[in-house]
Each structure stands twice: as structure tokens, then as C-alpha cells.
Amino acid sequence: SVILAEHQSNILVKHKLSKQNALHAAITNKHYSIASQLIKSNFPLDERTNEGLTPMLIIAYDDTKEGFKVAKELISYGADIDI
């Protein structure tokens, strides 16, 4: 996050077409450590893509141990589980 601040990066930006944010992308691409850092940094947890997918909906289809850990973090940090 220090590097992002130094370069005045906007981590909250969304993809123009898909409306995916950094958390959606991290989960979709199985970058679990990045997803975990975003979750712990109070990143918005319930934003939807243009297809209506939240990070919780995306991670629900991940059957890996790491994916389960990210799902638990989403829940513990307050993500909506009523999907």
C-alpha cells in the first residue's frame, strides 16, 4: 500500500466493462494473499460486477483450501452472506 500511495494509485478503480474491482480480480485469478490483504484493509466487500457477482459469490465456487480461507475472511470482516 505504500507503493500505491507513492504513485498516487487508485485501488478503488473498476474495470470499465466488467465493473470488477481489485478484490474481484484477485479472487478470480486466485491471488489469495492479495485478496486477503484487501479484505483486511477495509476494501469494499460487497460490490457487484456488471453480472451481479460479489467477491463472496466468486469465492463460493473455489474449492481450494486457500479459497476457503479467503471465504472465512470475507465473512469475518462483514461481507454479506445472503447471496
Side-chain angles (χ1 to χ4, degrees):
S1 61
V2 172
I3 293 171
L4 293 172
E6 287 176 2
H7 296 283
Q8 299 177 352
S9 298
N10 181 2
I11 191 118
L12 297 175
V13 71
K14 293 182 181 181
H15 187 273
K16 288 182 182 182
L17 299 176
S18 71
K19 302 298 182 205
Q20 270 196 351
N21 63 27
L23 184 55
H24 293 111
I27 291 171
T28 299
N29 294 297
K30 301 188 183 302
H31 296 299
Y32 303 113
S33 63
I34 294 171
S36 181
Q37 288 177 336
L38 291 169
I39 293 164
K40 292 174 183 176
S41 298
N42 295 318
F43 198 83
L45 303 179
D46 295 318
E47 290 189 358
R48 293 184 178 270
T49 65
N50 66 348
E51 295 177 340
L53 300 176
T54 64
M56 182 61 78
L57 281 167
I58 296 169
I59 203 69
Y61 291 97
D62 187 322
D63 62 355
T64 64
K65 188 182 292 187
E66 296 87 356
F68 182 71
K69 180 183 172 198
V70 170
K72 285 177 31 178
E73 287 177 347
L74 280 167
I75 292 167
S76 70
Y77 280 83
D80 187 2
I81 59 170
D82 295 321
I83 52 176

